[in-house]
Amino acid sequence: MLKPILYTALTLSLLYSINNVNADPMGMKPMPVADAPLGYIIHNPYENAPLTALVTLNGHKISNVDVTIHAKGETGVSINYQVDDMRVMDEGGVPIFGLYPAFMNTFTIKWTENGKQRSHEYQMLTPDIDMGFSESQWAKAPIVEVEHVDADFKDRLYFVNWTNPDGKSGQLSHNNPDAPGAFSWDGKPGFFIIDTAGDIRWYLNPYTTHNSKNYDSAGYAMGMNVTKDGNMVWVQGQGWKKMSLMGRMISEHNLPGNFIDASHEGIEAANGNIFIRAAAKDYRRADGMLVNTIRDQIIEVDNTGKLVDYWDLNTILDPLRDAALLSLDAGAVCLNINIDQAGHQTTLDDLKNAPYGDIHGVETGRNWVHVNSIDYDPKDDSIIISSRHQSAVIKIGRDKQVKWILGPEKGWSDKFQDKLLSPVDATGNKLSCNEKGRCRGSDFDFSYTSHTAYLVPEKGTLTVFDNGDGRHLGQPMFASEKYSRAVEYKIDEANKTVTQVWQYGKDELGYQGYSPVTSIVKYQQDKDSMMSYFASAGLFGLGGGYGNLKMDDTTGKVKSILVEHRYGETKPAVRININSHDMFATGYRAQVIRVNEMLK
């Protein structure tokens, strides 16, 4: 791998001061700018984040560092952040985050040295963006269109995760042909950060952290979360990674030996450990059959990668429950997207005759539960999971016992009947709901094929993204009746009741916001707000989506919607549309990024 300095020269990144240009004419290394009081600039110092740079110290001892990346034009957004003194020493210079691609950036560094306040303004030309989307011949990156931003949300930065298949992973599979697992899903990382003007200000180099031809380096990069120390952690195929915002790879770990196929979630919990959704290899079922399981193991590892605990959902829940599976649109089963099956409601024959592997169906060895998020509750040392294929959010203790189930009651065996939460109104009166979850005389609704369930400790509530496929355990007569919601619930664990507190999407977006797969909603304490990302609205026209487009229709694209609301409101303070010109690139999740917390 090329050294960062050589990489700088070969990518033709030009280094400037405001009054003087001074670069090695041979292009072999960056040189100190003549009138710059600090050292030279290294573009993309760790090779993973092309819109970052490092201003070296050249022997200076500085403190109280403040950085401003100046806005591009009148409508651009400046980024300002402070860098902790220890972070400057750790980086070996001043970290520069948030540069514009293909642009002569201007940024100002202020600092204290020898008791005096100093500052200097720099200019730097960055290369154009390359997220690996260009192979599709449609776009270098998703297209960001800002519809509305309130003034007090102007400083927001959003991290967005897209999946970007590259079609090169066909030869990678598990050894057992009768139990292939879920490893066939692979693609270049689609991580990027946008500002509220719609400009991309950071992205992950798709060629340095992923290799579709290597077993340990392939797989979708998914489920990115920010850790307590301000770094990023995500899962990818057979392992998980931790990286700084500057692109420094802090650690890379393989999954513990008995587990495979990590995707969807890697999250640091309050106890400091990482919770990952994975699968089990060479799993012996009760009938003696040997399979690789599918998306049904929750593992807890420490920061060294050592296994701390695991939850085998095959023994905790019921792999034979089919009530939710029978309601699915067979054309849009998360990653198993089959345009030819769009609109076909799954049947018993589909479930029972499905091949083993990452296919929705009953029994261990098929995708019967499809967990897509994990949260940890330190109050009682429990986990909370979102299960797409059971249309349920479920809390499970350290003792591997179910504490409660948020979902319609149909299909749950006697073992779980006393775990089902009963819907009540705001005054505590029990609602009249049938076994499929339809509640009479109320706007309360369960979540169906949910994607993310996270606690809101500040409010004592739980947020869930309700994708809405299979709502009320069936398919509507017309696809245009479908909708997705961001929803907030309050759960009374002692009385096993649940109240719906807030929702957005049913009335405000309707069918336009219907996202058959992926997406997220998460509370933001700093602005007392809810950030929601309808990540797959209009996906290939599935379920009707903006017209029933065929896979070879070059107009097909995903029209995802990112919104942020002040708490309790339904009028967005922010609305940004993030669209794809590539039929195969799909929105996954989004997060609010706070730079000052990540460069402390």
Side-chain angles (χ1 to χ4, degrees):
M1 183 175 289
L2 295 174
K3 299 292 185 183
I5 292 177
L6 293 178
Y7 183 76
T8 301
L10 292 176
T11 51
L12 300 180
S13 177
L14 304 182
L15 311 176
Y16 288 82
S17 101
I18 206 70
N19 296 315
N20 195 344
V21 178
N22 191 359
D24 181 352
M26 297 301 293
M28 293 305 294
K29 62 180 181 179
M31 299 290 289
V33 179
D35 64 347
L38 298 178
Y40 55 76
I41 306 173
I42 303 175
H43 166 245
N44 190 9
Y46 305 107
E47 303 190 41
N48 292 320
L51 299 183
T52 65
L54 184 72
V55 178
T56 58
L57 297 177
N58 195 29
H60 292 265
K61 294 182 179 180
I62 65 176
S63 60
N64 303 318
V65 174
D66 180 281
V67 179
T68 299
I69 313 298
H70 296 290
K72 180 173 69 174
E74 295 181 359
T75 60
V77 176
S78 293
I79 296 176
N80 174 259
Y81 56 91
Q82 291 72 50
V83 186
D84 185 86
D85 293 352
M86 194 63 71
R87 185 61 176 262
V88 173
M89 296 297 291
D90 186 44
E91 297 284 358
V94 179
I96 305 301
F97 159 86
L99 299 170
Y100 291 97
F103 184 71
M104 183 64 76
N105 290 267
T106 301
F107 59 92
T108 300
I109 303 176
K110 299 178 182 179
W111 69 94
T112 300
E113 187 173 10
N114 296 324
K116 297 180 180 180
Q117 290 186 342
R118 304 190 66 183
S119 69
H120 191 78
E121 190 168 272
Y122 296 82
Q123 285 190 316
M124 177 178 177
L125 177 64
T126 48
D128 200 358
I129 195 168
D130 179 6
M131 287 181 58
F133 284 72
S134 57
E135 291 183 11
S136 68
Q137 299 181 359
W138 292 111
K140 298 173 183 176
I143 308 302
V144 182
E145 300 173 348
V146 178
E147 189 169 307
H148 174 78
V149 180
D150 282 0
D152 52 335
F153 283 78
K154 188 77 172 176
D155 60 345
R156 273 300 197 223
L157 293 169
Y158 298 102
F159 178 101
V160 183
N161 180 185
W162 276 54
T163 59
N164 182 18
D166 62 9
K168 296 180 180 179
S169 60
Q171 295 181 0
L172 293 176
S173 62
H174 295 296
N175 293 328
N176 187 346
D178 297 320
F183 188 50
S184 59
W185 301 107
D186 177 51
K188 292 189 292 292
F191 286 1
F192 59 103
I193 295 175
I194 60 172
D195 63 23
T196 53
D199 289 303
I200 292 177
R201 308 297 292 271
W202 183 97
Y203 71 95
L204 181 67
N205 186 338
Y207 306 106
T208 54
T209 60
H210 171 268
N211 182 356
S212 63
K213 297 180 180 180
N214 181 283
Y215 181 76
D216 289 329
S217 302
Y220 275 135
M222 303 176 81
M224 194 288 294
N225 287 284
V226 177
T227 61
K228 287 183 292 186
D229 57 5
N231 296 302
M232 298 183 287
V233 61
W234 73 88
V235 292
Q236 184 176 319
Q238 307 313 309
W240 59 282
K241 304 175 188 293
K242 186 176 183 180
M243 191 181 78
S244 76
L245 188 64
M246 286 292 291
R248 179 170 58 177
M249 192 62 71
I250 297 167
S251 61
E252 298 180 80
H253 302 275
N254 290 331
L255 294 176
N258 208 49
F259 298 93
I260 55 175
D261 302 345
S263 67
H264 287 72
E265 186 75 283
I267 189 168
E268 185 182 70
N271 64 2
N273 291 333
I274 307 295
F275 286 78
I276 295 170
R277 208 295 322 284
K281 71 177 181 182
D282 299 334
Y283 189 100
R284 185 74 66 180
R285 303 193 325 180
D287 61 4
M289 186 175 182
L290 193 68
V291 298
N292 288 334
T293 74
I294 308 294
R295 310 182 191 278
D296 55 14
Q297 305 288 311
I298 311 301
I299 65 173
E300 179 184 8
V301 296
D302 66 19
N303 271 287
T304 71
K306 180 183 177 181
L307 183 66
V308 175
D309 205 350
Y310 69 95
W311 286 254
D312 177 5
L313 299 180
N314 296 282
T315 61
I316 297 171
L317 300 175
D318 180 7
L320 294 176
R321 181 178 181 262
D322 60 11
L325 285 161
L326 287 170
S327 71
L328 296 178
D329 180 340
V333 186
C334 202
L335 292 175
N336 304 85
I337 295 168
N338 184 349
I339 192 69
D340 295 329
Q341 293 292 309
H344 166 66
Q345 184 169 333
T346 302
T347 67
L348 277 171
D349 284 342
D350 292 335
L351 299 185
K352 292 179 178 179
N353 298 324
Y356 288 93
D358 195 11
I359 303 297
H360 64 293
V362 293
E363 297 186 311
T364 303
R366 298 188 181 101
N367 194 352
W368 65 272
V369 64
H370 197 110
V371 174
N372 49 35
S373 79
I374 312 165
D375 203 1
Y376 174 77
D377 190 347
K379 295 197 308 297
D380 57 2
D381 194 23
S382 297
I383 62 170
I384 296 172
I385 62 171
S386 163
S387 168
R388 172 183 167 82
H389 289 175
Q390 295 297 309
S391 278
V393 177
I394 305 165
K395 187 172 189 179
I396 307 170
R398 179 71 68 179
D399 60 2
K400 314 305 185 289
Q401 298 299 307
V402 173
K403 290 181 175 288
W404 51 253
I405 299 171
L406 174 59
E409 68 181 57
K410 184 178 180 180
W412 292 102
S413 65
D414 292 344
K415 175 183 176 181
F416 300 106
Q417 286 299 309
D418 64 343
K419 310 298 183 184
L420 293 163
L421 298 175
S422 298
V424 296
D425 63 19
T427 60
N429 296 314
K430 187 174 182 179
L431 300 177
S432 176
C433 305
N434 65 22
E435 65 174 0
K436 295 183 177 181
R438 192 182 296 273
C439 300
R440 186 169 54 192
S442 171
D443 64 354
F444 177 93
D445 207 355
F446 292 102
S447 61
Y448 296 84
T449 57
S450 58
H451 199 277
T452 71
Y454 295 121
L455 292 168
V456 185
E458 299 86 351
K459 306 291 184 182
T461 59
L462 175 81
T463 61
V464 181
F465 192 91
D466 172 14
N467 288 92
D469 186 36
R471 190 173 300 283
H472 305 135
L473 303 183
Q475 291 290 318
M477 182 174 295
F478 302 105
S480 58
E481 297 176 37
K482 295 185 177 185
Y483 58 88
S484 299
R485 304 182 302 157
V487 58
E488 181 183 18
Y489 298 105
K490 189 172 184 63
I491 294 172
D492 184 333
E493 295 190 343
N495 294 311
K496 292 290 193 301
T497 61
V498 56
T499 306
Q500 183 172 293
V501 177
W502 172 86
Q503 66 172 330
Y504 173 81
K506 176 182 178 180
D507 298 321
E508 298 84 359
L509 298 176
Y511 182 51
Q512 274 198 334
Y514 173 60
S515 296
V517 297
T518 68
S519 308
I520 187 173
V521 55
K522 208 165 191 179
Y523 175 74
Q524 308 299 319
Q525 184 180 17
D526 63 336
K527 291 187 184 291
D528 192 24
S529 60
M530 289 285 191
M531 190 282 303
S532 308
Y533 184 39
F534 293 71
S536 59
L539 178 62
F540 305 151
L542 289 177
Y546 305 133
N548 290 309
L549 302 171
K550 297 180 180 179
M551 293 292 275
D552 60 354
D553 187 335
T554 56
T555 62
K557 55 186 176 182
V558 181
K559 300 175 73 69
S560 62
I561 302 167
L562 189 153
V563 290
E564 191 166 0
H565 296 83
R566 292 178 180 82
Y567 186 75
E569 297 185 5
T570 55
K571 180 181 179 181
V574 176
R575 173 162 172 171
I576 299 174
N577 303 319
I578 307 173
N579 304 329
S580 170
H581 281 189
D582 185 325
M583 294 181 295
F584 300 96
T586 306
Y588 181 65
R589 284 194 195 169
Q591 298 272 352
V592 171
I593 291 292
R594 287 170 273 271
V595 182
N596 274 312
E597 295 179 10
M598 299 185 75
L599 290 175
K600 61 186 179 182

